[in-house]
Amino acid sequence: MDRIGSPFAQSTTTVLDRPRQYVDDAEMGADHLAHKELLWKLSSTYLPNDVGSLQRSLVRHVEYTLARRRYKLDDNTFYQATAHSVRDRLIERWTDTQQYSAKVGAKKVYYLSLEFLIGRSLGNAVSNLGLRGAYAEALRQIGYNLEDIMSEEKEPALGNGGLGRLASCFLDTLATQNYPAWGYGIRYKYGMFEQRILNGQQVEFPDYWLTDGNPWEVERLDVQYPVRLFGHVREFKDQEGNTRYAWQGGEVVMAQAYDTPIPGYGTYNTNNMRLWSSKPSHEFDLASFNAGNYYGAVEAKERCESITSVLYPNDATDEGKRLRLKQQYFFVSATLQDIFRRFKKSVGRTATTKIQDMPKKVAIQLNDTHPAIAIPELMRLLLDVEYLSWEEAWEISRNVFAYTNHTILPEAMEKWSVPMITELLPRHMQIIYEINHRFLLEVQKLWPNDDTRLSAMSIIEESTPKMVRMSNLAVIGSHTVNGVAMIHTKLLKSTLFPDFLLMWPEKFINVTNGVTPRRWLLQANPALSSIYTGMVGPGWVNDLKRLEPIKTMAQDALFRQRWRAAKQTNKNAVVDWLYKTMGIQVNPNALFDMQVKRIHEYKRQLLNVLGIVHRYAEITQATPEQRNQMVPRVCIMAGKAAPGYVMAKNLIMLVCAVSEVVNADAACRDLLKVIFIPNFNVSLAELLIPASDVSQHISTAGLEASGTGNMKFVMNGGLIVGTMDGANIEIAQAIGEHNMFTFGAKASEVAAIRRTMSHHPPKIDPRLQRATQMIRSGVFGKPKDGEYHQLLDAIDPHKDVYLTAQDFPSYLRAMDEADAQFQLEEKWTAKCIESACSMWMFSSDRTIREYAAKIWNVEPLPFRPPKHQN
């Protein structure tokens, strides 16, 4: 198949009519043009994708790219070869997509996220390219299995939880829906950490995900930008007598780009994810080395490279905080320099475009507050490099940026101390002060003499030391602020930014999150996907609305049987994995109950554990006849606790202790198993989610912004036990609340309950008393530092901040209802079918269309290569 047509073909236009980049070629004469034409022809066709061609590609990469000997080939060798072969096909689409976008001059979206939890790439890439079958057959004929090959891939450690996974879902959808877009982030050398459970406790190890290299990325040695830190600001007058500022001195770190192609499904469009790695501006200090200072010779190199070593370095110390801020600024500085270079290049192509038109060509989305320092950085570039006036620069900046808020938790509202920013980014602190000064003048005009409101809306918090509120900066410096679920946006307006809402009511909107069905159904659940494709054809992958008619099949007994068979296939895969990996045998016919997410008190894994302890007590005290009536249950938990988050790590310790006791008790046998799976990641999620019967999304109402795990579980035919929080509310509206097991206080009730609990504490449920007493008395062991007591003291009725004790009775009612419904096999299956086929709204395809229309003002730009010419 031919690729983009040659720009060197004969044309009736004159030299001056042609695009600028081709003028020099034309002027250099016929020989030069002929050479370019030949070069273009040699690179103008797509690689063939028949089985034989794929096999030749695999062998070529084994022999030449990897330089492996023919008698020393293993699965990892063929994973590397397959990855390079697939990447070849991605790159030709990728380069043509970027060239086409640049030629058209379309507005482009830049998605800035400190996390991209992309998961393994091979399976997703061959599916999106439509080559899964061809590669499977090509490998089979030479003695290899595609599934085994895919399992060799080391998962990139580029994210931690929902924030990074959402960003990756968005990149997939942006490519699939043909929007011109790039994702920008950091290429972490060690990720967050590899979680291991040693002696029942979480222990953090470096995640060496780059040990064998990353065949999906392209190292861009030609794309590097200097990033300045520390130093001082020099004030001077320009030729027109205007006061200008120059940031000088300090130290300079180089940002080097690494690019990863992001393919769309069912389209040639392939977008880019560009990640930055920190490098020293001077690799080696030879003078120090020759003077005998061997450590000093590499000290600067180590200091520079530490910026991109670890995701979310522990910020319990001042040095940790400083490293986090360095990391965030490094990321946005390199990104904005790159965006600015690309935009200015487009300005140079057309006489009509000028720098003031940047908002017409560039849309930058800030994924939470981590990239908010980009706002003063863009102002710095416009003021100090482009020499625009403040008014011109601010008009451009605030029309380029949009901000997504992901939490209303006070501790998650990023703040940096003024002294630290002044030391590390002196020019940015000046700009922040000026932004704040001008903004507060506007506030004073609207609300004269209202010091309380002025203080609340200020970017600067008047504390000791003074702090910069990054969320306020993001709101002030963006044209649109969005929440990620209806209830979250409502709380965003009413509790977090009520004064800003009064000032700019049009600025705040809701865009409910979504997840990509390509990874979370097509790739993760082939058993269910094949049913869908057989019923409605393959078009459902990009349009989940096509599944809606299948809901009527919930009344068909044969279809329900097929559905249960697909679910059992997925459960059996988990059963096999648990036995092979962890040596744990579980009942494949039990109810699979899962809570797999980041460990945090507001997500209330403790509520789940207390419920398990209650269930364990009921089993051990029951007669054999009563046990025969109980629903067998496999309780699976997974998730990481931040290294400095003591309560979360204590919770993991308790889960592991309960697991050890319960799983060893003969009374439980096939009735109850408790499993904590370490090092939860995307690949494990793809295994576990399709196998769930029930998943728990039980955060304190009003504290979970949205959640996306809830969407994935229901899409895969599981049902939810959950509070009316985050996207649970909208899921209940979509699938019917009768298909969910809801419980707990509503968000509108939480504040009143908290106010009264100190002097009118609720009565403790006797079942909760029994569960807590079992834990305190040592049934599950007695840690020497009283870690379990810390957990249980936090749910004392007088200070039960997350309402764990408050919601315990209604939680047990919801679990009992789920047990009762699970025993009605046909009715349960019908619920699952109706729910899974009602989830179109929670596809990231719908989400991205809303962002494009409501926030970015961009249109799809499908790239269609010319048809094959005979």
Side-chain angles (χ1 to χ4, degrees):
M1 180 179 286
D2 291 325
R3 295 166 69 178
I4 291 178
S6 169
F8 307 105
Q10 294 297 317
S11 171
T12 58
T13 58
T14 67
V15 168
L16 293 178
D17 291 327
R18 295 177 190 166
R20 181 176 298 181
Q21 63 267 38
Y22 303 139
V23 171
D24 291 342
D25 293 321
E27 291 177 343
M28 288 182 72
D31 287 346
H32 179 74
L33 196 59
H35 296 158
K36 283 295 188 86
E37 177 70 11
L38 176 59
L39 179 62
W40 190 272
K41 285 181 178 178
L42 290 171
S43 60
S44 65
T45 56
Y46 283 104
L47 294 168
N49 294 320
D50 59 280
V51 169
S53 296
L54 295 182
Q55 288 172 337
R56 286 188 288 275
S57 172
L58 293 171
V59 171
R60 175 172 58 84
H61 280 296
V62 167
E63 193 165 2
Y64 297 110
T65 305
L66 303 175
R68 300 289 168 85
R69 287 179 254 178
R70 296 175 186 176
Y71 61 84
K72 199 173 183 180
L73 305 180
D74 54 16
D75 280 356
N76 187 263
T77 297
F78 266 90
Y79 158 68
Q80 294 281 342
T82 305
H84 280 96
S85 173
V86 174
R87 195 188 77 165
D88 290 345
R89 286 149 178 82
L90 289 177
I91 285 177
E92 57 190 10
R93 298 178 181 216
W94 176 46
T95 54
D96 285 355
T97 300
Q98 305 314 313
Q99 181 180 330
Y100 179 68
S101 174
K103 179 181 178 182
V104 173
K107 184 176 184 178
K108 186 170 286 187
V109 175
Y110 298 101
Y111 196 83
L112 274 60
S113 180
L114 209 57
E115 296 185 40
F116 285 101
L117 198 60
I118 59 176
R120 290 171 172 165
S121 294
L122 179 54
N124 187 68
V126 293
S127 290
N128 281 15
L129 290 172
L131 295 177
R132 182 180 284 266
Y135 270 101
E137 181 60 19
L139 287 162
R140 186 194 66 79
Q141 290 183 11
I142 56 178
Y144 292 89
N145 179 276
L146 178 60
E147 298 299 319
D148 294 338
I149 294 299
M150 290 193 301
S151 68
E152 290 291 316
E153 183 173 354
K154 182 77 171 171
E155 186 157 324
L158 299 172
N160 175 38
L163 186 79
R165 186 52 239 168
L166 180 77
S168 298
C169 284
F170 282 4
L171 292 191
D172 171 89
T173 285
L174 285 162
T176 297
Q177 295 195 342
N178 299 304
Y179 289 106
W182 282 32
Y184 278 99
I186 291 179
R187 182 181 182 265
Y188 302 103
K189 188 174 182 180
Y190 302 116
M192 189 173 179
F193 59 84
E194 178 188 336
Q195 180 194 54
R196 299 182 197 172
I197 303 299
L198 300 179
N199 300 318
Q201 300 181 55
Q202 170 180 295
V203 181
E204 301 92 23
F205 288 83
D207 190 342
Y208 298 106
W209 72 281
L210 287 168
T211 301
D212 297 324
N214 178 11
W216 301 101
E217 68 184 8
V218 177
E219 183 179 14
R220 294 293 197 190
L221 293 173
D222 59 324
V223 181
Q224 293 190 352
Y225 296 100
V227 177
R228 188 180 304 277
L229 300 166
F230 304 103
H232 63 275
V233 179
R234 180 174 67 87
E235 182 179 322
F236 64 97
K237 299 287 186 180
D238 65 15
Q239 292 180 347
E240 285 76 35
N242 300 310
T243 301
R244 298 294 181 185
Y245 299 90
W247 183 18
Q248 299 174 336
E251 63 182 55
V252 174
V253 179
M254 299 304 296
Q256 183 177 314
Y258 289 78
D259 289 349
T260 301
I262 306 295
Y265 180 86
T267 175
Y268 277 87
N269 195 66
T270 302
N271 286 338
N272 190 40
M273 179 178 69
R274 175 160 285 180
L275 305 179
W276 301 106
S277 181
S278 55
K279 308 289 183 183
S281 54
H282 301 287
E283 185 72 20
F284 185 71
D285 187 347
L286 184 60
S288 293
F289 186 86
N290 288 337
N293 185 6
Y294 305 124
Y295 291 109
V298 295
E299 181 183 4
K301 180 176 185 292
E302 294 295 322
R303 188 170 61 250
C304 290
E305 292 181 351
S306 70
I307 293 174
T308 56
S309 289
V310 178
L311 169 65
Y312 299 141
N314 191 341
D315 60 356
T317 64
D318 287 342
E319 194 55 42
K321 290 182 176 69
R322 189 176 289 106
L323 180 55
R324 278 209 189 190
L325 181 56
K326 278 185 182 180
Q327 197 174 70
Q328 292 179 10
Y329 175 67
F330 166 85
F331 154 48
V332 303
S333 174
T335 298
L336 286 176
Q337 289 182 73
D338 198 44
I339 293 171
F340 216 76
R341 176 193 59 80
R342 195 172 300 107
F343 169 69
K344 290 184 73 175
K345 187 176 179 181
S346 71
V347 170
R349 290 195 189 104
T350 60
T352 57
T353 303
K354 51 188 184 297
I355 199 160
Q356 285 78 4
D357 294 326
M358 190 176 185
K360 296 178 183 178
K361 297 294 184 181
V362 172
I364 300 177
Q365 190 69 35
L366 305 176
N367 191 27
D368 218 351
T369 55
H370 306 129
I373 197 70
I375 294 169
E377 171 65 1
L378 180 57
M379 288 294 291
R380 185 187 70 83
L381 293 173
L382 294 170
L383 293 168
D384 298 354
V385 178
E386 297 301 320
Y387 284 5
L388 297 186
S389 69
W390 180 276
E391 290 74 18
E392 286 179 310
W394 186 243
E395 182 69 14
I396 293 169
S397 182
R398 69 182 182 85
N399 283 298
V400 162
F401 289 110
Y403 161 52
T404 301
N405 175 278
H406 284 280
T407 182
I408 63 168
L409 291 175
E411 66 268 25
M413 295 292 102
E414 272 195 323
K415 300 176 185 177
W416 300 115
S417 76
V418 168
M420 186 170 70
I421 296 181
T422 302
E423 176 195 22
L424 192 64
L425 307 170
R427 179 61 177 135
H428 297 75
M429 195 64 249
Q430 290 180 344
I431 292 171
I432 290 169
Y433 268 127
E434 184 65 21
I435 292 171
N436 197 47
H437 170 69
R438 291 170 181 252
F439 169 69
L440 292 182
L441 290 177
E442 292 183 50
V443 175
Q444 284 180 318
K445 287 180 183 178
L446 288 172
W447 296 288
N449 305 316
D450 192 341
D451 292 342
T452 301
R453 194 186 302 269
L454 208 66
S455 176
M457 298 179 76
S458 174
I459 297 172
I460 307 299
E461 179 181 276
E462 299 294 334
S463 54
T464 305
K466 292 182 178 180
M467 305 294 286
V468 176
R469 299 163 168 153
M470 302 306 287
S471 57
N472 285 19
L473 174 62
V475 171
I476 294 164
S478 300
H479 61 81
T480 305
V481 178
N482 75 281
V484 292
M486 291 299 293
I487 187 175
H488 171 238
T489 302
K490 182 180 178 181
L491 292 168
L492 201 67
K493 294 176 178 180
S494 62
T495 64
L496 199 59
F497 301 123
D499 296 317
F500 292 99
L501 179 69
L502 290 173
M503 188 170 184
W504 296 309
E506 74 288 347
K507 180 176 282 198
F508 294 85
I509 66 170
N510 177 68
V511 183
T512 299
N513 282 341
V515 300
T516 170
R518 268 75 60 184
R519 181 173 289 270
W520 296 111
L521 273 173
L522 184 65
Q523 179 172 323
N525 199 340
L528 184 56
S529 295
S530 64
I531 291 177
Y532 287 160
T533 301
M535 294 291 291
V536 299
W540 66 268
V541 179
N542 286 356
D543 183 8
L544 288 188
K545 274 190 176 180
R546 297 192 186 192
L547 300 181
E548 290 243 311
I550 299 178
K551 288 192 288 186
T552 61
M553 298 300 292
Q555 308 310 314
D556 185 290
L558 288 177
F559 185 78
R560 291 196 299 269
Q561 188 175 0
R562 289 178 62 198
W563 187 278
R564 285 194 296 274
K567 176 63 71 172
Q568 197 59 55
T569 296
N570 295 325
K571 292 174 77 168
N572 290 343
V574 171
V575 170
D576 292 344
W577 185 89
L578 288 172
Y579 182 67
K580 291 176 182 176
T581 308
M582 302 183 70
I584 300 174
Q585 290 184 306
V586 301
N587 178 2
N589 299 313
L591 185 155
F592 279 26
D593 172 358
M594 301 187 187
Q595 189 183 22
V596 290
K597 55 185 67 192
R598 179 169 57 93
I599 309 296
H600 197 289
E601 288 167 277
Y602 89 86
K603 293 179 183 287
R604 298 202 297 190
Q605 283 92 350
L606 180 57
L607 182 58
N608 187 354
V609 177
L610 291 167
I612 291 170
V613 172
H614 162 72
R615 186 176 294 268
Y616 174 58
E618 292 289 293
I619 291 172
T620 56
Q621 294 174 17
T623 65
E625 292 76 19
Q626 289 172 325
R627 288 176 190 164
N628 287 336
Q629 301 302 312
M630 292 180 175
V631 174
R633 188 176 286 249
V634 175
C635 300
I636 295 175
M637 300 180 73
K640 293 181 179 180
Y645 193 174
V646 174
M647 293 292 273
K649 296 177 84 168
N650 290 349
L651 187 282
I652 292 175
M653 188 189 307
L654 178 59
V655 176
C656 293
V658 171
S659 171
E660 186 175 355
V661 172
V662 169
N663 295 350
D665 194 326
C668 293
R669 292 186 180 171
D670 286 340
L671 271 182
L672 182 62
K673 280 288 192 296
V674 183
I675 303 161
F676 185 88
I677 298 178
N679 208 41
F680 183 61
N681 55 24
V682 175
S683 302
L684 282 172
E686 291 175 19
L687 171 73
L688 295 173
I689 289 172
S692 79
D693 295 304
V694 158
S695 61
Q696 298 194 37
H697 308 277
I698 56 178
S699 54
T700 310
L703 295 185
E704 185 70 83
S706 167
T708 52
N710 44 10
M711 303 170 188
K712 297 163 194 167
F713 277 104
V714 180
M715 279 185 183
N716 279 276
L719 299 182
I720 285 177
V721 172
T723 49
M724 294 304 275
D725 193 26
N728 282 359
I729 297 172
E730 289 159 84
I731 292 174
Q733 293 169 350
I735 70 176
E737 197 168 340
H738 64 283
N739 286 326
M740 284 177 62
F741 306 103
T742 61
F743 73 96
K746 303 292 192 292
S748 58
E749 302 167 340
V750 169
I753 293 171
R754 284 177 176 158
R755 280 196 302 269
T756 59
M757 67 172 55
S758 60
H759 51 279
H760 289 297
K763 185 179 179 181
I764 300 178
D765 187 278
R767 296 166 296 181
L768 178 59
Q769 283 184 318
R770 179 178 64 180
T772 56
Q773 182 57 33
M774 289 173 67
I775 296 170
R776 288 188 187 277
S777 66
V779 171
F780 306 104
K782 286 188 175 182
K784 61 181 180 179
D785 295 323
E787 288 86 350
Y788 300 164
H789 293 299
Q790 294 175 37
L791 289 170
L792 299 178
D793 289 346
I795 64 168
D796 180 282
H798 292 84
K799 53 181 180 180
D800 185 14
V801 175
Y802 297 105
L803 276 57
T804 302
Q806 164 78 29
D807 284 348
F808 188 76
S810 61
Y811 172 71
L812 292 187
R813 282 196 300 273
M815 297 297 277
D816 289 343
E817 184 185 352
D819 279 352
Q821 293 290 326
F822 186 72
Q823 290 177 303
L824 305 174
E825 185 177 64
E826 298 295 342
K827 185 177 179 181
W828 180 275
T829 306
K831 283 176 170 287
C832 295
I833 295 169
E834 290 172 1
S835 300
C837 296
S838 300
M839 290 292 288
W840 67 267
M841 178 188 165
F842 303 99
S843 166
S844 51
D845 296 349
R846 186 272 313 156
T847 308
I848 288 300
R849 282 193 296 270
E850 288 193 23
Y851 272 99
K854 295 180 180 180
I855 299 176
W856 302 330
N857 191 29
V858 295
E859 297 288 339
L861 186 69
F863 162 61
R864 298 182 181 91
K867 293 182 179 179
H868 177 72
Q869 298 176 3
N870 294 323

